[in-house]
Amino acid sequence: MIATIPVQTTARPDDSGDATDPGSITAPWAGSAAAVVSGLHTDPDRGLTESDASERLARHGPNRLAVRRRRPIGRIVIDQFRGPVVIILAAAAVASLVLGLRLEATAIGLVLAINAVIGFTAEWRAVRSMEALRSLGRAQVRVRRDGVDRMIDDESLVIGDLVIVEGGDIVAADARIIESNTLAVDESMLTGESESVSRSIDPVPADTPASDRRCMLHRGTRIIRGSGRAVVVAIGMQTEVGRVAHLTATAEDTTTPLERRLERLGARLLWLVLGITVLTIVLGVARGRPVLEMLEIGVALAVAAIPEGLPIVATVALARGLWRLARHHALVKRLAAVEVLGATSVIIADKTGTLTENRMRVVRFELADGPIDLGAADGTGTPPPVVPSELDRVRIEMHETMALCNNAALPSAGDAGDDRPGDPLEIAMLVAADEAGIDRSRLLAANPERREEPFDPATRRMITVHGGESRFRIAAKGAAESIVPSCTSIRTGSGDRRLTDDDHRSWLDRADRLAADGLRVLAVATGSITDVEDPVDRDLVLLGLVALRDPPRRDVAAALEHCRHAGLRVVMATGDHPGTARRIALDLGILAPDASDDAVVLGGDFRPDDHRHDARCRHASVFARVDPAQKIEIIRLHQRAGSIVAMTGDGVNDAPALRQADIGVAMGRRGTAVAREAADMVLQDDAFASIVRAIRHGRVIDQNIRRFVHYLLSCNLSEVAVVLGAT
């Protein structure tokens, strides 16, 4: 079903803002599509002219998100000489040089130089790796200019550009839809919700939140079904993604536990050095020794009191940990962040794409003769169930109907999850049919498609008609409340049985119970007609319900078990439905099987300014329906309680929290550019288990540094005590 707009040649200032400025439209989702196009001075058929596009590019700048400026080489070098211990050593080297103690000054200088070289090399390699990741984010977009469709770099998009989108495309800017052919979008990277969302050209109220603006396409989201046209209304930092990126920039920078401990150690060493120097000089002068001689002795003791090996040992330990983590696909941007992993006590993890696969899988059939489980809780496939032959015929017919009523393509062996063409829900149905031994190409050859009623948000169903000469086969799927009322009978192993009103209510109740269990539920039906143009939404035969789940990642359950043994708390924070969040948390063991219904805290119930809720929220393990700002408050709540917090995520909505956390961990493959920029560590294999491995390495590094500090201080202070006593 194609929705489009009429051509309008006059501006509508009341809908579109100031028609003289193509960048001044406010709330484009609230005005009609025609008014938005007209207000942007764009031809709805030919798009912008090249001269208009060039002028707007010069006026508004490129379609680019602001990222942290690349750290210059000089800044990385200077950073190696920061810190109280290094400053004290540098001062001691200068004092030794002034007093003619060239050997001591040279030794200290060599220590500082080696420390700087190792630290610079490690951090420079991390910077170069991040730049390589950043370069992967560039894309091409299809636009229409001067009536000609062409591919351009996404940074060249301007406000008013007419973009053409279809299944598989990544949206490059915020755009108002002006033509929709059953468009559906995956917005999980922006909202945290794993379900696809249908799109239309109909306006919505001006105060509608971004996640509910059905007539808009937002930057970074993915088209999973259909095609259409849209006019760009915001680029760069003015997009919804840009707004979240700005929120990321305002998140507080935090110092690492190692940095804080070294600062405290440096302050104490400073007072110790001053005390030893003054005491030595005063005692020596009081006994009649020359002042210059006592100054030399005082400086020598001060240098002896400083553990000059500490910076280089800490740097070597952190650099070695950074390189080891890189070999295990964990890229750390700065050395001090490696140690934070060892001090981490709470991990706040996003659900979609981090704990789950962000892809659907068929796990259950509800048939008239009983349920059939098709997948494990972790999303792994199971062999075809052993069922009576008559019931198995209904199961096979379910698979065939889902494969016929489908516009997706079966993924090839090399396809990654995000590269699969089509709606993840439809892909899951094709995968299930393939695992059941159904060859879709042969099925379509025997039952060629003659007609299609595509999915419509109003009807919430899709129906296709197949077959040949005298009778045509109907394949239908959709929401239970849409399909079940259209069915007059149900298929059983022994034949069809009439459906009563009570039966209708019973099947709708079944669908509600499955949905409450965190599953995505569709009803599947079949039927037949004698003419291809006959009505297809009546007298259908219900085959049953199909339940799908976004399964947990296979390595997550074991990783979470390691976290529990290591004394690490794992808290799940997601924008998804509370029922879905609860189900995933139960499957992974984040929630105990006997957890109460209020174990899941809703974002709307979380009030950081109400201290009465602090205790409950600190002990909560699952947060649902949370937005980016609420994730930041959850992290701050744990930080105020003295916890060292790690945050994992992959979407734009996770970026502010990644920046606020003591250490932010982003996914390198599925993760968005905004998330990778905000994080301190990027997992190049997207494996949650890599975080546990990194924390283990971090704890070993932390223990090694502690032991060496104790060793150095005990040796140095004993030397000082002997010399001072003799003096």
Side-chain angles (χ1 to χ4, degrees):
M1 178 175 166
I2 299 178
T4 186
I5 65 169
V7 176
Q8 178 174 318
T9 58
T10 58
R12 291 269 304 277
D14 56 327
D15 284 342
S16 310
D18 183 2
T20 64
D21 180 5
S24 66
I25 285 187
T26 57
W29 53 88
S32 67
V36 173
V37 172
S38 178
L40 292 173
H41 298 178
T42 300
D43 188 307
D45 295 318
R46 297 181 57 82
L48 295 175
T49 65
E50 283 294 343
S51 59
D52 282 343
S54 298
E55 188 274 332
R56 296 185 188 196
L57 182 62
R59 182 193 307 178
H60 299 294
N63 176 36
R64 184 186 303 154
L65 294 178
V67 297
R68 298 187 205 181
R69 289 188 303 173
R70 170 180 169 178
R71 293 175 66 195
I73 296 178
R75 177 61 184 271
I76 297 177
V77 172
I78 292 173
D79 285 347
Q80 307 312 312
F81 294 96
R82 296 176 59 186
V85 176
V86 174
I87 293 173
I88 292 173
L89 281 174
V94 172
S96 299
L97 193 61
V98 170
L99 295 174
L101 305 175
R102 291 186 176 86
L103 183 61
E104 288 83 353
T106 302
I108 296 174
L110 285 175
V111 168
L112 293 176
I114 295 172
N115 175 71
V117 169
I118 295 174
F120 171 81
T121 303
E123 295 203 17
W124 178 246
R125 288 176 60 179
V127 168
R128 294 295 298 273
S129 298
M130 279 304 302
E131 289 176 352
L133 279 177
R134 190 180 301 151
S135 67
L136 298 177
R138 302 288 294 276
Q140 296 283 305
V141 60
R142 184 181 171 195
V143 302
R144 182 171 297 169
R145 291 179 180 173
D146 289 319
V148 179
D149 291 356
R150 63 191 65 184
M151 301 298 292
I152 66 171
D153 189 89
D154 58 358
E155 291 190 356
S156 300
L157 272 180
V158 298
I159 293 176
D161 255 329
L162 189 64
V163 296
I164 294 91
V165 295
E166 58 185 14
D169 288 349
I170 302 296
V171 181
D174 285 5
R176 174 66 160 88
I177 299 172
I178 65 173
E179 180 182 300
S180 172
N181 181 12
T182 64
L183 273 175
V185 182
D186 176 6
E187 291 191 318
S188 59
M189 54 75 65
L190 186 62
T191 65
E193 298 191 33
S194 54
E195 293 185 3
S196 61
V197 183
S198 298
R199 286 291 185 258
S200 70
I201 68 170
D202 300 326
V204 295
D207 59 352
T208 303
S211 58
D212 294 327
R213 296 169 189 165
R214 297 293 188 255
C215 59
M216 293 288 295
L217 298 176
H218 292 118
R219 178 182 176 128
T221 59
R222 182 167 60 96
I223 307 296
I224 59 175
R225 182 180 64 243
S227 60
R229 293 185 298 150
V231 60
V232 174
V233 296
I235 61 172
M237 294 300 290
Q238 282 70 51
T239 62
E240 284 299 314
V241 170
R243 183 184 65 81
V244 178
H246 176 71
L247 184 59
T248 302
T250 60
E252 299 173 3
D253 285 322
T254 57
T255 57
T256 70
L258 178 62
E259 289 170 334
R260 293 193 289 268
R261 289 204 301 267
L262 288 179
E263 285 178 2
R264 290 195 297 268
L265 177 61
R268 292 169 183 170
L269 283 176
L270 178 61
W271 287 109
L272 177 64
V273 166
L274 291 176
I276 291 174
T277 302
V278 172
L279 179 62
T280 303
I281 294 172
V282 169
L283 290 177
V285 171
R287 295 182 61 82
R289 305 287 292 275
V291 175
L292 183 60
E293 178 184 343
M294 294 313 303
L295 282 173
E296 291 179 352
I297 294 175
V299 171
L301 286 178
V303 172
I306 300 172
E308 63 275 0
L310 175 58
I312 192 170
V313 168
T315 300
V316 168
L318 294 175
R320 184 170 178 269
L322 187 149
W323 293 331
R324 290 182 64 186
L325 291 174
R327 290 199 300 269
H328 289 91
H329 311 292
L331 173 62
V332 182
K333 295 182 183 179
R334 57 194 182 105
L335 287 178
V338 176
E339 187 269 343
V340 182
L341 292 165
T344 297
S345 54
V346 176
I347 301 176
I348 298 178
D350 177 55
K351 179 188 76 69
T352 306
T354 303
L355 299 178
T356 66
E357 294 282 356
N358 195 19
R359 67 183 70 171
M360 305 299 290
R361 183 170 183 89
V362 177
V363 295
R364 187 181 181 92
F365 280 166
E366 283 283 344
L367 307 180
D369 296 306
I372 297 179
D373 289 324
L374 300 174
D378 62 356
T380 57
T382 59
V386 179
V387 294
S389 59
E390 63 274 8
L391 181 57
D392 195 51
R393 286 196 296 270
V394 182
R395 177 183 70 87
I396 293 299
E397 190 172 3
M398 280 276 288
H399 281 302
E400 290 181 348
T401 303
M402 293 189 304
L404 290 172
C405 188
N406 203 305
N407 284 326
L410 193 65
S412 62
D415 280 338
D418 292 339
D419 298 328
R420 297 178 172 187
D423 188 329
L425 184 144
E426 293 192 332
I427 292 172
M429 293 179 174
L430 291 184
V431 171
D434 184 66
E435 291 175 349
I438 295 172
D439 188 326
R440 186 177 184 241
S441 59
R442 292 182 181 178
L443 183 64
L444 285 173
N447 300 270
E449 184 175 316
R450 304 297 187 185
R451 174 184 165 194
E452 177 181 331
E453 288 195 1
F455 179 84
D456 189 327
T459 60
R460 301 184 66 193
R461 68 183 177 218
M462 174 183 176
I463 301 178
T464 55
V465 179
H466 304 262
E469 303 169 356
S470 58
R471 296 200 68 81
F472 297 87
R473 178 178 179 178
I474 297 174
K477 73 174 189 294
E481 57 269 27
S482 175
I483 295 294
V484 172
S486 299
C487 298
T488 56
S489 58
I490 186 170
R491 188 142 296 167
T492 70
S494 56
D496 293 351
R497 174 172 57 82
R498 297 291 296 179
L499 284 173
T500 65
D501 290 341
D502 288 340
D503 291 331
H504 284 140
R505 286 191 292 270
S506 174
W507 280 98
L508 292 176
D509 288 341
R510 284 198 201 186
D512 289 340
R513 287 196 296 271
L514 290 171
D517 202 26
L519 299 172
R520 180 79 182 274
V521 184
L522 296 179
V524 180
T526 188
S528 63
I529 51 178
T530 56
D531 189 286
V532 72
E533 297 300 328
D534 284 347
V536 292
D537 58 351
R538 63 186 65 169
D539 297 328
L540 297 177
V541 179
L542 181 66
L543 295 176
L545 304 176
V546 54
L548 303 96
R549 174 172 294 158
D550 179 12
R553 296 173 66 88
R554 297 186 181 184
D555 59 342
V556 168
L560 292 175
E561 185 64 27
H562 287 305
C563 288
R564 283 188 285 272
H565 287 310
L568 286 167
R569 278 197 63 204
V570 178
V571 177
M572 185 170 74
T574 177
D576 221 332
H577 188 279
T580 305
R582 178 183 175 85
R583 181 70 262 170
I584 294 295
L586 288 170
D587 289 344
L588 293 174
I590 296 176
L591 284 180
D594 58 349
S596 60
D597 292 338
D598 62 353
V600 178
V601 177
L602 296 180
D605 297 337
F606 179 64
R607 295 184 292 276
D609 55 342
D610 190 343
H611 299 294
R612 293 174 299 176
H613 295 273
D614 278 7
R616 181 195 173 195
C617 292
R618 275 200 307 272
H619 292 92
S621 297
V622 181
F623 292 85
R625 294 296 193 204
V626 293
D627 59 28
Q630 289 166 342
K631 287 185 179 181
I632 291 178
E633 293 301 332
I634 293 170
I635 292 172
R636 288 174 177 167
L637 177 68
H638 286 282
Q639 288 174 332
R640 288 196 298 269
S643 299
I644 304 300
V645 181
M647 170 73 196
T648 72
D650 63 345
V652 172
N653 61 318
D654 300 318
L658 291 171
R659 182 75 181 278
Q660 174 64 40
D662 294 289
I663 182 166
V665 183
M667 303 297 150
R669 292 179 180 175
R670 296 175 185 265
T672 60
V674 175
R676 293 197 298 264
E677 288 290 337
D680 300 295
M681 184 171 79
V682 178
L683 300 181
Q684 295 173 301
D685 60 355
D686 286 8
F688 188 84
S690 295
I691 302 174
V692 181
R693 193 160 46 238
I695 290 175
R696 184 167 59 248
H697 288 316
R699 290 188 172 182
V700 171
I701 292 167
D702 182 61
Q703 292 172 359
N704 288 341
I705 293 176
R706 285 174 180 268
R707 289 168 182 164
F708 196 78
V709 168
H710 295 161
Y711 169 75
L712 283 180
L713 289 179
S714 62
C715 291
N716 289 20
L717 293 180
S718 63
E719 293 174 7
V720 170
V722 170
V723 175
L724 183 61
T727 301

